[in-house]
Amino acid sequence: MTAVVGSGVGGGSLVYAGFQSRPAGGFFDEEFPPEISDEELAPYFDKAEAIQRPQQFSHPVRSREIFADGLSRAGLGSAQAPTMAIQFGDLDVPKSRENAVGHAQTDCRRCGACVIGCEYGAKTTLDLTYLSLAQRNGAEIRAMCEVTAIGGSDHRYEVLWRDHASGTDHVAVTPQLILAAGTINTLRLLFAARDKHRSLPHLPIGLGKHFSGNGDYLAMVGGVPAAAHNGRHAMFQSVHLLADGGFVGEAAPPVTQLPLPWPLRHWLSETVFLFSTGREPGTQLLSAHGAPFAAPYKASNAAFYSQTANRVKQISEAYHPSWYRPNWPRGDKSQRLVTVHPIGGASIAQVPEEGVVDHRGEVFGHRGLFIADGSTYPAAPGVPPSLTIAALAERQAALMIAA
C-alpha cells in the first residue's frame, strides 16, 4: 500500500480535499470502548465543527447529473453537494473574512488545488485554526524540524529531533509527550522505539492491530466532454454517503494550478476521478527491524475491494468515457493500493492485547505518553476521517485538563 500523507505545519490538512463528515450512526457504539459512544462524542464534534466551520459547496456542478445517473445504475441513492472545510463566497469578487479563531481567509476561487495546497488560504487548514490558536496561547511551533526517535517511561520521555534548517540534532526531555505525527509517522516512531532502538521496549502487544487504508479506492474516468470542468471546481464536486457507512464522490484534478502544456490541461479538464471509501476490515502490521509492514493488503480484503471495484465501475458507465482506469494509478491487476486515509495500528482499546491506548489516548503502561491522531482508530470509519480525528482530540484535551 502506498500512503500519500502531508508533512508540514498543518499536517495532512495541507493536502486534504477538506471533506467533512461524521461517521454513520452507531460507529462509536459498536467499535469503541464503552466510555466512547455516539452520544458522548457528539459535543466534541460540535466543538471541532465550530472551529472548522464546514460549508456545503454551493456553486453549480456540470457533471452532477451524470454522477447521479451513475449512482442510479449502481442501485444507490442521490448525489449531494459536498460539505467541506473551505470558505466559499462570491466567485467573481472573492473577499477576505475572519475564520473562527480570527485568522484571515479568502473566498474559494474554485481552482481545484485543494490536494496540492491552497494558495489563497480558502481551505481551512490546521495552521489557520488550531495551530494558530495554540501559538497565540503560548505554544512554540518549530518548522523544518522532524522527530526521529522517542524513548523513556513514566513521565520522563526523551524526544530526539533534527532541525533541517541548521542540520543539527537535539534532545528534549518532557514529563508528558503527545504523539500526533499522523498515522504513518506515529507508527514508525513506535515500532522503531520498541523493536529497533529498544527505547520503549514494553509497548503494548496490540501495536500494529487494526491498521486500515479506510477502504480508499480511486478510479480515473477520461474523455468525458460532458463533464468538462476547465479547472473551475473544488476538489470534490459531488458525493454520496453509502448505506453501509461508506462514501463515494466525484473529484476533479487541479488542472490550472499545475505547470502543464495546454493539450494536457485540456485532456485533464475532461477527466474526473471517482473516489470511494468504506468500512473495510483492518489488518495486522508486523515489524522488520523496527519498520512496520503488512501482508499484500488488497488480497487480504479481496471481497471488500471486489465489491468496491464493481460499484465504482457501474457509476463510471454513466459518463460514457473514452477510457477508464480502475485502482488508479496501478490498475485492477495490481495488488497494490493507494490510500490518503491511513488509520489504526495504535488503536483505542480496553486491554493492551487489542490496542495501544486507553479511551483517554494514554499508552497502556506508559504514564504521560499519549497519542492523538488517526492511528488510534480501532476500525475504519468509512468516511474521510479528519473530522473524527479532531473530535477525538477535543475529547482528549478536555479529559487531560480535567485530570
Side-chain angles (χ1 to χ4, degrees), residues 255 259-271:
V255 179
L260 304 172
W262 183 86
L264 185 54
R265 286 191 184 190
H266 177 71
W267 178 75
L268 284 173
S269 75
E270 296 182 352
T271 299

Side-chain angles (χ1 to χ4, degrees), residues 233-357:
H233 58 85
M235 182 63 194
F236 275 117
Q237 302 193 106
S238 303
V239 298
H240 172 75
L241 296 176
L242 300 166
D244 61 6
F247 155 92
V248 62
E250 181 205 68
V255 179
T256 59
Q257 299 306 105
L258 295 173
L260 304 172
W262 183 86
L264 185 54
R265 286 191 184 190
H266 177 71
W267 178 75
L268 284 173
S269 75
E270 296 182 352
T271 299
V272 297
F273 288 100
L274 296 177
F275 183 67
S276 179
T277 64
R279 295 182 63 177
E280 65 167 355
T283 192
Q284 169 76 56
L285 292 180
L286 303 173
S287 173
H289 307 294
F293 74 96
Y297 191 83
K298 187 179 172 188
S300 67
N301 284 315
F304 174 87
Y305 282 104
S306 175
Q307 180 188 44
T308 298
N310 290 335
R311 176 191 290 147
V312 172
K313 181 68 166 63
Q314 286 179 298
I315 296 171
S316 74
E317 291 169 355
Y319 291 83
H320 302 291
S322 298
W323 56 271
Y324 175 71
R325 180 71 170 176
N327 190 30
W328 188 86
R330 294 178 177 269
D332 256 0
K333 291 183 179 180
S334 173
Q335 289 300 317
R336 195 168 187 88
L337 295 161
V338 173
T339 180
V340 294
H341 300 129
I343 55 170
S347 303
I348 295 173
Q350 290 183 275
V351 292
E353 289 75 20
E354 284 300 316
V356 174
V357 299

Side-chain angles (χ1 to χ4, degrees), residues 10-363:
S13 74
L14 300 174
V15 291
Y16 72 172
F19 181 75
Q20 304 279 287
S21 178
R22 303 186 187 195
F27 174 65
F28 300 100
D29 294 340
E30 297 165 9
E31 304 290 354
F32 282 69
E35 294 90 348
I36 300 176
S37 66
D38 287 22
E39 182 180 7
E40 194 262 354
L41 204 54
Y44 299 106
F45 273 108
D46 294 340
K47 284 187 174 185
E49 288 173 334
I51 293 288
Q52 296 299 92
R53 291 182 177 175
Q55 301 177 33
Q56 193 169 53
F57 184 51
S58 57
H59 306 300
V61 175
R62 183 179 182 186
S63 58
R64 185 164 295 156
E65 288 187 9
I66 305 175
F67 180 67
D69 180 30
L71 293 174
S72 178
R73 289 170 183 250
L76 304 173
S78 60
Q80 304 165 355
T83 298
M84 295 183 284
I86 295 175
Q87 182 170 285
F88 297 114
D90 190 334
L91 281 175
D92 298 319
V93 189
K95 296 180 180 179
S96 178
R97 310 167 196 267
E98 284 193 355
N99 64 16
V101 304
H103 200 293
Q105 290 186 243
T106 60
D107 292 340
C108 175
R109 304 187 187 197
R110 289 179 66 192
C111 69
C114 308
V115 296
I116 59 173
C118 178
E119 295 183 18
Y120 306 108
K123 187 171 65 167
T124 309
T125 51
L126 297 189
D127 54 319
L128 303 179
T129 52
Y130 282 106
L131 294 180
S132 176
L133 187 61
Q135 195 170 33
R136 194 181 307 161
N137 284 275
E140 180 184 350
I141 295 175
R142 299 176 184 175
M144 295 301 294
C145 295
E146 177 187 7
V147 173
T148 55
I150 58 173
S153 64
D154 285 355
H155 293 301
R156 191 189 185 282
Y157 296 97
E158 295 183 351
V159 179
L160 177 64
W161 57 279
R162 182 166 183 80
D163 185 334
H164 289 283
S166 64
T168 56
D169 293 307
H170 306 266
V171 177
V173 179
T174 176
Q176 190 174 70
L177 175 60
I178 303 169
L179 291 177
T183 296
I184 296 297
N185 288 315
T186 287
L187 292 176
R188 282 175 175 165
L189 289 168
L190 291 172
F191 272 103
R194 189 188 70 180
D195 301 335
K196 181 180 180 181
H197 307 306
R198 303 294 296 169
S199 53
L200 289 171
H202 303 299
L203 284 173
I205 194 173
L207 178 61
K209 284 193 172 183
H210 311 299
F211 176 81
S212 169
N214 199 38
D216 283 9
Y217 183 91
L218 188 64
M220 197 172 189
V221 184
V224 189
H229 41 77
N230 300 312
R232 293 282 285 174
H233 58 85
M235 182 63 194
F236 275 117
Q237 302 193 106
S238 303
V239 298
H240 172 75
L241 296 176
L242 300 166
D244 61 6
F247 155 92
V248 62
E250 181 205 68
V255 179
T256 59
Q257 299 306 105
L258 295 173
L260 304 172
W262 183 86
L264 185 54
R265 286 191 184 190
H266 177 71
W267 178 75
L268 284 173
S269 75
E270 296 182 352
T271 299
V272 297
F273 288 100
L274 296 177
F275 183 67
S276 179
T277 64
R279 295 182 63 177
E280 65 167 355
T283 192
Q284 169 76 56
L285 292 180
L286 303 173
S287 173
H289 307 294
F293 74 96
Y297 191 83
K298 187 179 172 188
S300 67
N301 284 315
F304 174 87
Y305 282 104
S306 175
Q307 180 188 44
T308 298
N310 290 335
R311 176 191 290 147
V312 172
K313 181 68 166 63
Q314 286 179 298
I315 296 171
S316 74
E317 291 169 355
Y319 291 83
H320 302 291
S322 298
W323 56 271
Y324 175 71
R325 180 71 170 176
N327 190 30
W328 188 86
R330 294 178 177 269
D332 256 0
K333 291 183 179 180
S334 173
Q335 289 300 317
R336 195 168 187 88
L337 295 161
V338 173
T339 180
V340 294
H341 300 129
I343 55 170
S347 303
I348 295 173
Q350 290 183 275
V351 292
E353 289 75 20
E354 284 300 316
V356 174
V357 299
D358 63 19
H359 76 95
R360 300 171 300 117
E362 189 170 38
V363 176

